[in-house]
Amino acid sequence: MPLDLTASSLDITRAICDIPSVSGEEGPLADLIEQAVRGLDHLEVIRQGNTILARTDLGRAQRVAIAGHIDTVPINGNVPTKDIELDGEPFLWGRGTVDMKAGVAVQLKLAAELTEPLVDITWMWYDNEEVEAARNGLKLLADRRPDLFQADFAILGEPSNGEVEGGCNGTLRAVVRTTGVRAHAARAWVGENAIHRAAPILARLAEYRAREVTVEGLEYREGLNAVRISGGVAGNVIPDACEVEVNYRFAPSKTAADAEAHVRNVFAGFSVEITDVSEGARPGLDAPIAQEFVRAVGATPKPKYGWTDVARFSALGIPAVNYGPGDPHLAHHDEERVPIAQIEGTEQGLRSWLTGV
Amino acid sequence: MPLDLTASSLDITRAICDIPSVSGEEGPLADLIEQAVRGLDHLEVIRQGNTILARTDLGRAQRVAIAGHIDTVPINGNVPTKDIELDGEPFLWGRGTVDMKAGVAVQLKLAAELTEPLVDITWMWYDNEEVEAARNGLKLLADRRPDLFQADFAILGEPSNGEVEGGCNGTLRAVVRTTGVRAHAARAWVGENAIHRAAPILARLAEYRAREVTVEGLEYREGLNAVRISGGVAGNVIPDACEVEVNYRFAPSKTAADAEAHVRNVFAGFSVEITDVSEGARPGLDAPIAQEFVRAVGATPKPKYGWTDVARFSALGIPAVNYGPGDPHLAHHDEERVPIAQIEGTEQGLRSWLTGV
């Protein structure tokens, strides 16, 4: 059955959540989306893989990119969707309702409806956001067609409780290592225990107080955490190696070099290998177009903690924010559910800003 | 070629080292040993699996068990043996020279030669000492024929540098655990990091000062060590579990219950699971027969730190010591080598005690 974009955003959410699209298996949903938007005269449609781009070309003074990913994490008994009520409030329950098919449904509805927006719009619905960056549909399109990413502002429909969440923290991973000398555990004094030598690493992590950093008026909360520890050879051997993998989430005002220096400083005296780093994205809320958007949707800007694809726009010099229905704490949760009022609220917010009505 | 037990103990060592007998593959060597001792009129020979027992029955007032294992750890380019010289001292180099075919060779030579010892002797050459206890040939024979283990004293030919090493430490393994609450690493404050909570476990291990405990005049050095640590879910998740496996080596004056109480006390406040415990063996050097032996071989008794099969005799109420050629620090070492003088020295020591000459 084709997608009916004249239905309510709630019904479109229901329809696209009930079509499974776990990362790597977005084909059927991408086909339906392409089919639905190809029929619209005001949009030029481009497909690459399972990523669909649809754009107006009205010669407006400004262009806005509005994007959402169509994949989900694996289903765990939570498809098809259900209507539920919690404390008297109606919710749509099921995989993808929060992350982020409700956001995509609102975008699809407005893409069909808004034939004369105040700004030109580049709609983007992409695959493989929940897996490794190398497969990310938005990244692959940007690599091949950077020209399609020209815009004055970008909105990502990631769940933000219907508020505007600006930018995102950066993330750095490092491995902190200790070494020792192997020996038989019966004669431990002949060796040097690398796991014991890791005691100060864990002590520094346990004592670490994460900072809050204000960037363009928003408070970004940082964090430094062990995410893995391993060491040991056999039950009767003094271990000669131990490693602690740490993850540092750092405010978007910091560069990758700043983050690396901080982590090296915390673990001074130990071997530190930086294995992965992605800078965050500044909220970009100082741009006039961003301020107009925030005013129009009537939201209070908040910081986004997790890394999202807004950082890709930010890296291209395009101010970008997250704006979508659903509580981000429920993303990936088996009891994932979105308040129906938030689906309708973000639809209204986007429509009023894009049409001035 | 059959084993020639009239050869020197050095040549017997060379011969049996050059027949590989990694644990589980002792058959060919066991066959040769059985064949060599079956031809001796003064010995009754019993074989179970690849364990060979040979005993005199001269009606002597006392009986001594003298035992050695015939298996080795895996070969690593160190078979066949080589004659080498270090600082002018001749050595036999190769797998098994230290642990413990030189000891077995001395025993085989004396088993053949001593037709009229002052005490009755039960010689035992057994398989699978280097692997899990359930396969240990000495254990399997003791389980099935405890009558064969009747003895007033036992000597195990484990490497002890030609000195008498009494008893052995006990060993206990435990897993110390922490728990936490999983959360996305971007919002770490929602979770509780189980790896950070393990900081005091490592701190207590790093600060731990092992005791020396005097048992029957020998100083046993204890040890408490982490032998393994693990924790972590994924690179972006606050871990909800961490575990540290510790190994406590405790003096033979302590019971398993004492050892468990000590470990629980050190890690008070944490979940502690005892996974494995073997009590040590008292040196047994207060027995008159043991004192005569020490005097006869002219050795200074020392404590044995590692757990050895002397504990099996000790558990049967039989005083038992280790007495064999080779430096125990070189056991399992790829450069395993035994001083030729120690092979000859232990042969002389045993002969003089067993014959009074």
Side-chain angles (χ1 to χ4, degrees), chain B residues 177-241:
Chain B
R177 292 190 173 88
T178 60
T179 57
V181 177
R182 275 191 205 192
H184 196 288
R187 289 176 292 276
W189 54 91
V190 176
E192 296 282 351
N193 195 313
I195 295 177
H196 297 192
R197 284 182 173 175
I201 298 174
L202 297 199
R204 291 181 204 176
L205 283 164
E207 287 158 14
Y208 186 85
R209 290 292 160 262
R211 278 182 273 194
E212 300 208 342
V213 180
T214 305
V215 182
E216 297 170 16
L218 300 186
E219 285 278 325
Y220 285 85
R221 194 161 171 180
E222 299 191 325
L224 177 64
N225 272 275
V227 289
R228 186 179 57 79
I229 188 166
S230 63
V233 177
N236 60 355
V237 177
I238 301 304
D240 60 349

Side-chain angles (χ1 to χ4, degrees), chain B residues 151-168:
Chain B
D152 300 287
F153 185 50
I155 300 166
L156 211 66
E158 290 276 1
S160 59
N161 263 321
E163 303 287 348
V164 173
E165 293 189 345
C168 64

